[in-house]
Amino acid sequence: MDLKKSHIEFVLNHKKRAVDIPSQASALFVIREILGLTGTKEGCGVGECGACTIVVDGEAVNACLMFAAQLDGCEVLTVEGLGKDGTLNRLQNTFLDNHAVQCGFCTPGILMSTHALLEKNACPDDDEIVKALSGNICRCTGYQQIFSSVKEACSNGQEAFDD
Ligand code: FES
Ligand code: FES
């Protein structure tokens, strides 16, 4: 068993964090089990489902495949960082309005992949949306409501994602 610890400092959901971690721990483990942010889900644990998607320095990544040590010095966003003061942001509300959430297990990861896409490209075309969400598996919705939500968020303009 590896008992070595590492110390990392990074910005998580707009706040500076410093934490000692087991040196071989995944980003997912540290976010959920050490920092207590359980919005990020563990599905497959091997990079196949996208339930663990977080945004690191603007890129959507699978937290289950990333060492937590790699977060050092990074800007990290999880689903808890999308809204403010306990309220949902407009992108999240668009998912609700379009019934894009059923069991909800995939939803945090899909929101984070969508957020990363829209931060780079406020008006993605259909192919770009499909490609951005291709790593996120949903077993409930059939994807159409999710796709409709992203399209509606796009039609609302960039301000839809900023709060
Ligand atoms: S839990 Fe990370 S991709 Fe499935
Ligand atoms: S809403 Fe259940 S897996 Fe997507």
Side-chain angles (χ1 to χ4, degrees):
M1 182 164 47
D2 181 8
L3 296 176
K4 279 173 59 179
K5 293 262 185 181
S6 298
H7 180 80
I8 60 172
E9 297 183 12
F10 62 109
V11 176
L12 177 61
N13 298 335
H14 319 293
K15 290 184 185 153
K16 287 186 181 174
R17 303 296 298 258
V19 60
D20 292 321
I21 58 165
S23 55
Q24 298 297 316
S26 70
L28 180 61
F29 176 84
V30 169
I31 287 168
R32 284 183 56 87
E33 308 301 334
I34 295 182
L35 297 172
L37 295 180
T38 55
T40 303
K41 302 304 182 200
E42 179 165 13
C44 65
V46 292
E48 298 288 344
C49 73
C52 65
T53 304
I54 60 174
V55 177
V56 179
D57 289 344
E59 301 292 334
V61 300
N62 291 329
C64 69
L65 294 183
M66 190 171 188
F67 285 119
Q70 294 174 281
L71 298 178
D72 190 45
C74 293
E75 181 108 21
V76 180
L77 194 69
T78 69
V79 71
E80 289 89 348
L82 289 183
K84 277 185 189 150
D85 302 324
T87 61
L88 302 179
N89 74 0
R90 279 187 250 178
L91 177 61
Q92 291 168 305
N93 278 314
T94 302
F95 272 62
L96 287 181
D97 293 343
N98 285 280
H99 308 288
V101 181
Q102 289 189 25
C103 82
F105 198 81
C106 70
T107 308
I110 290 177
L111 286 169
M112 300 319 291
S113 292
T114 304
H115 179 85
L117 168 68
L118 299 180
E119 283 287 298
K120 290 184 199 167
N121 178 2
C123 301
D125 63 28
D126 291 1
D127 288 345
E128 289 168 328
I129 295 170
V130 169
K131 185 176 175 193
L133 298 182
S134 61
N136 294 89
I137 292 173
C138 175
R139 66 181 184 180
C140 303
T141 65
Y143 299 100
Q144 186 55 52
Q145 297 96 323
I146 293 168
F147 186 80
S148 299
S149 301
V150 178
K151 292 289 284 182
E152 184 177 315
C154 296
S155 67
N156 286 341
Q158 179 61 42
E159 68 275 11
F161 323 119
D162 290 341
D163 62 4

